[in-house]
Amino acid sequence: MKIDVQGDYIPIALAQLAPGEEIYCESGLDVYMDPTIRPQVRALTQGGVSGVVRRMMGGIPFHMLTFTGPGWVAFSRFRPGEVRVLELSPNETVDVAEHSLLLATGSVRYDVQYVGGTGRVGRMMGFFLDRLTGPGTIAVHGHGNILAFTLQPGETMQIDHGALLLKDASVQVQSFNQPLGGGLAGHAMSFEALHVQGPGRVLLQTLDPTQAMATTK
Amino acid sequence: MKADTVGTITPAILVTLNPGERILTPHGLMLYKEPNVKLNRKTLKSLGVGMSDLMAYSAMGAKEEEYFLVEFEGPGNVTLSRDKGGEARILPLAPGQTVQVAQGHLVGLEPTVRYSPVLVARYQNPLNPNEVQMLWADRLTGPGTIILQGHGNVLSFNLQPGESMRTSVPAFLLASQTVGIQVQTQFPPNPTGIVTRPLTQAYLFGPGTVMLQSGT
């Protein structure tokens, strides 16, 4: 399998599949394909009943689209950004923000990872990340530009919730309230952010996907 | 303070602060920061904006106007993003130099820069004549560095004394204090007789620097 990224504003990931090779994605991301490509709706049953229930709670659709070669098939998130293609070795696990996975090869295991919130009303009551385990290849779409960091053991950074695109499973994420200055007013106006701690890779995106969706409605 | 633009699609501004150095930003722009960087809240009143002006903003319905700015204090890195596609500009202002930046485009300013929101023009909504629209701007006076972001590409012009240009109102991004700004609505000659929308444009009179943006 070969995956090329084309375009530098709203990029596509163009996959060249050999006979029998398979990739999957959420529905609605395919741009074009060869007539030889065989699309198919497939129930995502990895992990049995508990896996299905957990993924459904995490907002991952029960049905995915699979595309089987031979031929070319192109995918896009249809929003400005950058695409990164990552090779996952066996049992290597990464967590990807919702609405950011573009495609994964058939051998990649798809699950969810829950990050607890601070208990405040809003999206930070907790959220889910897509958990992907190799072996295989994945492509992710970062909204805006992608900023890459490698955190050393114990190294930390504090990030906006919408900025997180991808992290290694070894990177710990915890939500916290960031006071907006001192005093009672500072706490009352606090906002929720994420505290991440290495070791491992962290990819950030410069455009919050919820903002990107709001502006393209 | 050191500021650099990172990325070209939705640019982020990487600000490196030495111990005690500070930068002021509108709320909600932080992408990430290092844990050492302190975060404070600065009300417009504490930045020298008069109480009467604040009440006027409220009375005039400045819905998007902030009543405080967020202050990041070093040492460490903080990165800011406006969550919009476009170009960012990092501009040093000389002492006494004043510019007006369209509201919603300011990314950051050094504390030495004097900040004051200002109503540039009131005009009729071309799609609904009963609705009054307002063009607000952030008035910024040096010395110090300011950071702003245009939607789409940023186009720069230097108007000579007596020179003028017309632009659509949403395209306005920045003007020197010396540039006169008027918003006017007109009905262009229409030989077809078919009813069309009026044309609302900002008239900019030199001398001074003007920046426009290609997106809205």
Side-chain angles (χ1 to χ4, degrees):
Chain A
M1 178 178 306
K2 188 176 165 223
I3 298 175
D4 284 326
V5 178
Q6 296 183 350
D8 53 10
Y9 186 62
I10 300 181
I12 62 166
L14 180 60
Q16 183 182 15
L17 303 179
E21 278 188 330
E22 181 185 279
I23 55 179
Y24 65 90
C25 69
E26 292 176 37
S27 65
L29 303 184
D30 50 304
V31 181
Y32 66 87
M33 70 190 83
D34 278 339
T36 51
I37 292 285
R38 188 163 49 88
Q40 192 176 6
V41 175
R42 189 185 78 176
L44 197 64
T45 56
Q46 296 171 348
V49 174
S50 64
V52 170
V53 170
R54 195 168 59 246
R55 283 191 294 271
M56 287 179 77
M57 286 176 64
I60 292 177
F62 178 61
H63 291 100
M64 302 292 276
L65 276 178
T66 63
F67 299 85
T68 308
W72 296 90
V73 55
F75 301 91
S76 173
R77 278 275 171 191
F78 302 102
R79 294 204 172 87
E82 287 185 56
V83 170
R84 290 285 164 89
V85 179
L86 304 175
E87 299 289 339
L88 300 181
S89 49
N91 293 320
E92 182 184 357
T93 299
V94 294
D95 298 324
V96 179
E98 286 181 295
H99 311 301
S100 299
L101 180 67
L102 203 51
L103 62 90
T105 54
S107 57
V108 173
R109 199 166 77 232
Y110 195 175
D111 208 334
V112 293
Q113 172 73 4
Y114 176 71
V115 178
T118 57
R120 289 175 60 137
V121 176
R123 65 181 178 179
M124 290 299 288
M125 291 180 74
F127 64 99
F128 289 90
L129 297 167
D130 297 343
R131 171 155 279 193
L132 300 149
T133 304
T137 305
I138 64 169
V140 294
H141 175 98
H143 294 83
N145 289 104
I146 293 175
L147 311 179
F149 302 86
T150 301
L151 299 181
Q152 300 303 313
E155 196 177 7
T156 61
M157 61 195 302
Q158 294 169 341
I159 63 176
D160 178 59
H161 176 273
L164 181 63
L165 170 63
L166 179 144
K167 70 173 188 67
D168 284 335
S170 57
V171 173
Q172 303 294 313
V173 178
Q174 191 175 12
S175 53
F176 73 103
N177 281 323
Q178 170 65 60
L180 202 55
L184 200 57
H187 282 277
M189 289 194 283
S190 66
F191 63 95
E192 287 157 316
L194 301 176
H195 185 88
V196 297
Q197 182 172 338
R201 265 179 312 183
V202 176
L203 300 186
L204 302 185
Q205 53 194 348
T206 60
L207 173 57
D208 186 334
T210 56
Q211 298 281 342
M213 288 172 200
T215 54
T216 52
K217 271 180 184 171
Chain B
M1 184 191 89
K2 184 169 173 280
D4 293 299
T5 304
V6 183
T8 53
I9 299 167
T10 305
I13 308 296
L14 172 61
V15 180
T16 303
L17 300 168
N18 290 320
E21 279 188 330
R22 293 170 291 151
I23 184 168
L24 295 163
T25 78
H27 180 38
L29 271 53
M30 185 192 88
L31 200 62
Y32 77 84
K33 74 176 181 71
E34 291 177 345
N36 284 345
V37 176
K38 289 185 204 157
L39 195 151
N40 302 308
R41 185 181 71 257
K42 288 284 178 186
T43 61
L44 294 193
K45 192 180 169 205
S46 72
L47 294 171
V49 179
M51 204 62 200
S52 57
D53 285 340
L54 289 172
M55 290 172 73
Y57 307 144
S58 179
M60 284 188 283
K63 291 173 188 166
E64 294 181 17
E65 191 52 63
E66 305 254 14
Y67 292 94
F68 64 90
L69 295 177
V70 176
E71 181 188 72
F72 294 95
E73 183 178 343
N77 291 324
V78 57
T79 300
L80 309 165
S81 170
R82 268 265 170 210
D83 283 325
K84 293 269 169 58
E87 285 185 64
R89 289 281 190 272
I90 300 164
L91 303 175
L93 296 181
Q97 183 185 359
T98 300
V99 295
Q100 296 182 149
V101 177
Q103 195 181 60
H105 296 277
L106 185 65
V107 175
L109 63 147
E110 283 188 305
T112 52
V113 176
R114 195 165 151 216
Y115 172 88
S116 167
V118 61
L119 179 62
V120 177
R122 296 169 67 117
Y123 58 98
Q124 281 184 335
N125 180 350
L127 302 178
N128 179 7
N130 296 322
E131 183 185 323
V132 175
Q133 291 191 316
M134 288 175 272
L135 175 59
W136 287 90
D138 297 320
R139 178 178 286 162
L140 303 154
T141 303
T145 300
I146 64 168
I147 305 163
L148 57 115
Q149 192 200 330
H151 298 160
N153 292 109
V154 176
L155 314 171
S156 297
F157 302 87
N158 193 13
L159 298 182
Q160 300 301 314
E163 202 174 8
S164 66
M165 65 189 299
R166 290 187 286 184
T167 175
S168 73
V169 178
F172 171 71
L173 176 62
L174 175 145
S176 304
Q177 179 67 17
T178 52
V179 174
I181 305 173
Q182 291 176 9
V183 176
Q184 294 180 12
T185 299
Q186 60 173 317
F187 291 86
N190 181 3
T192 66
I194 300 170
V195 177
T196 58
R197 292 176 189 166
L199 193 60
T200 300
Q201 291 181 309
Y203 286 63
L204 307 172
F205 304 94
T209 300
V210 170
M211 287 187 186
L212 305 181
Q213 53 192 343
S214 63
T216 57

